[in-house]
Amino acid sequence: MSNSETVLLVGGGGREHAIARALSSDAACELYACASNRNPGIASLAAGFRTIPETAVEDVVAYATDVDADLAVIGPESALEAGVAAALDDAGIYTFGPDAEAARIETDKAFQREFMEAESIPGCPDYAVFDDTEAACEYIDAYDGDLAVKPAGLTGGKGVKVIGDQVDREGAKAYLRENDYEEVVLEERLIGEEFTVQAFVANGDVRPTPAVQDHKRAYEGDEGPNTGGMGSYSDAGPELPFMTSEDYADAVEILEAVVDALPEYKGILYGQFMLGAEGPRVVEFNARFGDPEATNTLPVLNTSFLDVLTAARDGESLPRLEFAGKATVCKYAVPEGYPTNPKSGAKITVDEESVGEALLFYASVDEREDGLYTTTSRSFAVVGVADSIADAEEQAEDALAAAGDGLRVRHDVGTADLVQRRIDHMNELRGE
Ligand code: AMP
Ligand code: GLY
C-alpha cells in the first residue's frame, strides 16, 4: 500500500499493548516494537519485536532505522527521560513524545511546580523545593497543615508520601532521612477525589480524552502502599460520576495552558487532578499515557491513532477525536507481594480463551520458551467495555477467571459501591 506507515512502538507494558492494539487496528499501519521484556500481546500484533531496554537510546534508533520506521511512539517515561524521542527525531523518524527537556514536566517534580508558577498555570498547590534533607525536615516541623513529600525524580509512582494519610510528620522525616534524596518537593496536601485527563498534543492542538480514575493504592478500600496503578474506570461520557462537566472543562483548560506555555510540545499530555470543592488542582503532569489509563482510553477511541500521528508529523491540525460512548473498567493482575516485595520469575498462566468479551492487555510479563513469567511489576490487565460502568465491571470481573495462581487483583475497582463512595465524598466536600 502506497500510504502505509511503518511505526516503531517503544515500551512493553499494558499501556503499550493498548497502543499496539489501537495502531494495528488501522490496516495502513505496519507495526514494530521494542522493549526490555518480550510482551506476548505486543509481539503478536507486531511485524517484528526486539528486546531492547527502553533507555538504550542508540539501540532503539538502530532498530528504528533497521525496520525503516516512518514514525515512532514512546510509551514509558524512562525512555522520554533518556532522550529517545529527540534521538529518533534527529534520525529523521517523527516521534510522538516530547524531548527530554519538555518531559521534565513529568521527570522533575521541582521543575513541574516551578514551571506552573512561572507560567501561571492554574491549580498549583503551595510548594517548596529542598536539596537539603534537614532543611526539609525543619519545614515539615514548622508547616501548619499536612504536606505531600515528593522526591523530585522518577519513582514509578511509588515515591510520594502524604502526611495524614500514609505517614505522620515523624514518619515523613524518617522517610526523607532514610533516603536522603538529592531534591524533594514538599507541597500542600490536596484533599478530594483524583482523576486523570489525557490529551493528544501536537502543532499547538490539544485533543482531550475522557476522564479516568486510577486506583494507586495496593489493597482494596484504598489501603496499603502506592503502586503504578491497580485498575481504573471511565464512564460513557467525558466526565466521571462524581464530576460535573465544568470540572472536566477546567481540567482541559489547565492542559491547554500547559501547551500554550510549551507550544512545541508533542505527544500525550497527562494531567492528574485532585477535585475539591474549589475545582480541580494539579497533582502532577505526565508526558505520556497513563498505565492503566491508556487501557481505558484507547479501546473507546474511534478515530485512528495512526491518523493522529500522521497529522502531527505533517504539521497539520490534529483530527477531532471520536469516542465510542462506552464505559470501561480495567483491573490489573499483579505478582504476589507487589509493590513492596514482588515475586518475580514466577511462572504464570493466562487463559486467553476465558477472557470472554473483555480485552486482555499483557504488561510486564516475560515470554520465554516454556511460558510466561512474572517480573517485579504488574502482569496483565483485563478491561471491560460496555454501556455502563457496572456492566464493564462485571465483564472485567468475569475475565479475571483467566488469571492462574500467584497473582493478586483489586476486585473493588469500578464496583457500584466504590463509585458511590467517590460520589458521596465529593458531595460531602461540596457541602451537599
Ligand atoms: P504522583 O507520583 O505525583 O502522581 O503522586 C502519587 C500519588 O500521591 C498521587 O496520585 C496522589 O494520590 C498522591 N499525591 C501526590 N501529591 C499530592 C498532594 N499534593 N496532595 C495529596 N496527595 C498527593
Ligand atoms: N497511572 C498513573 C501513571 O501512569 O502514572
Side-chain angles (χ1 to χ4, degrees):
M1 221 183 323
S2 61
N3 62 346
S4 93
E5 303 277 355
T6 302
V7 182
L8 177 71
L9 169 64
V10 180
R15 162 182 52 213
E16 289 79 17
H17 187 180
I19 294 171
R21 180 178 177 274
L23 286 171
S24 63
S25 71
D26 190 320
C29 180
E30 166 131 295
L31 183 70
Y32 288 83
C34 59
S36 53
N37 59 304
R38 187 175 168 84
N39 178 313
I42 299 173
S44 75
L45 293 170
F49 187 104
R50 191 171 294 173
T51 315
I52 304 173
E54 289 82 354
T55 53
V57 180
E58 283 170 22
D59 295 344
V60 174
V61 173
Y63 185 50
T65 311
D66 263 9
V67 302
D68 209 9
D70 302 303
L71 291 158
V73 178
I74 311 279
E77 61 275 24
S78 58
L80 296 171
E81 185 179 46
V84 174
L88 286 166
D89 278 327
D90 288 346
I93 300 158
Y94 179 89
T95 298
F96 197 64
D99 64 22
E101 179 59 29
R104 285 177 74 206
I105 57 161
E106 163 165 13
T107 59
D108 180 346
K109 289 185 198 289
F111 172 81
Q112 180 184 101
R113 292 313 190 195
E114 286 156 0
F115 162 82
M116 288 187 77
E117 190 178 348
E119 301 291 343
S120 307
I121 311 284
C124 189
D126 285 338
Y127 74 95
V129 177
F130 296 90
D131 57 13
D132 178 85
T133 298
E134 285 314 310
C137 290
E138 279 168 33
Y139 186 85
I140 291 176
D141 279 331
Y143 191 82
D144 180 20
D146 289 334
L147 288 164
V149 176
K150 307 173 126 178
L154 291 178
T155 60
K158 296 159 203 156
V160 175
K161 297 280 179 245
V162 179
I163 299 178
D165 187 12
Q166 294 128 316
V167 289
D168 57 14
R169 267 172 214 258
E170 292 310 313
K173 289 189 288 178
Y175 173 67
L176 287 180
R177 287 181 175 130
E178 244 161 60
N179 290 284
D180 199 22
Y181 291 108
E182 246 170 66
E183 197 171 42
V184 292
V185 181
L186 302 185
E187 62 186 37
E188 168 194 359
R189 178 187 179 191
L190 302 170
I191 303 282
E193 278 299 323
E194 284 186 75
F195 68 94
T196 302
V197 178
Q198 306 161 101
F200 291 82
V201 178
N203 309 328
D205 283 340
V206 177
R207 297 281 184 261
T209 67
V212 183
Q213 189 174 47
D214 185 17
H215 296 68
K216 290 211 192 264
R217 304 293 282 268
Y219 311 129
E220 282 168 22
D222 294 325
E223 302 285 338
N226 274 339
T227 68
M230 293 296 295
S232 47
Y233 65 94
S234 61
D235 209 343
E239 57 266 354
L240 293 162
F242 57 84
M243 295 166 64
T244 65
S245 51
E246 201 188 340
D247 297 328
Y248 179 78
D250 288 347
V252 170
E253 255 176 49
I254 291 173
L255 297 180
E256 286 169 345
V258 171
V259 175
D260 280 345
L262 296 173
E264 303 299 318
Y265 191 92
K266 61 186 170 67
I268 297 297
L269 178 62
Y270 165 121
Q272 177 77 27
F273 301 95
M274 186 74 81
L275 183 59
E278 310 294 319
R281 319 257 319 264
V282 176
V283 174
E284 66 164 347
F285 295 117
N286 291 329
R288 44 150 182 105
F289 271 121
D291 190 347
E293 289 93 331
T295 73
N296 301 94
T297 305
L298 290 170
V300 295
L301 177 66
N302 285 350
T303 307
S304 164
F305 192 164
L306 187 67
D307 288 350
V308 179
L309 287 183
T310 53
R313 175 194 58 196
D314 299 341
E316 292 166 4
S317 179
L318 298 187
R320 298 263 157 207
L321 302 183
E322 283 178 31
F323 293 93
K326 301 270 187 198
T328 66
V329 173
C330 167
K331 302 196 191 205
Y332 252 117
V334 302
E336 294 291 354
Y338 174 82
T340 38
N341 191 18
K343 194 160 175 253
S344 68
K347 194 167 180 193
I348 55 165
T349 54
V350 181
D351 178 8
E352 293 194 11
E353 296 302 308
S354 67
V355 169
E357 288 171 283
L359 302 172
L360 170 68
F361 295 113
Y362 286 100
S364 296
V365 284
D366 199 29
E367 187 179 28
R368 302 185 197 161
E369 269 177 21
D370 65 336
L372 279 187
Y373 287 82
T374 59
T375 68
T376 56
S377 197
R378 297 168 290 185
S379 301
F380 69 89
V382 292
V383 179
V385 180
D387 289 333
S388 66
I389 295 172
D391 288 352
E393 195 276 332
E394 200 179 309
Q395 242 184 49
E397 210 38 55
D398 287 348
L400 285 168
D405 294 341
L407 295 167
R408 199 174 59 73
V409 173
R410 258 190 76 168
H411 290 285
D412 61 347
V413 174
T415 55
D417 206 38
L418 198 52
V419 174
Q420 189 57 47
R421 275 174 41 197
R422 311 296 191 208
I423 297 170
D424 293 345
H425 184 205
M426 264 333 291
N427 287 343
E428 187 192 316
L429 291 172
R430 289 184 157 126
E432 284 165 14

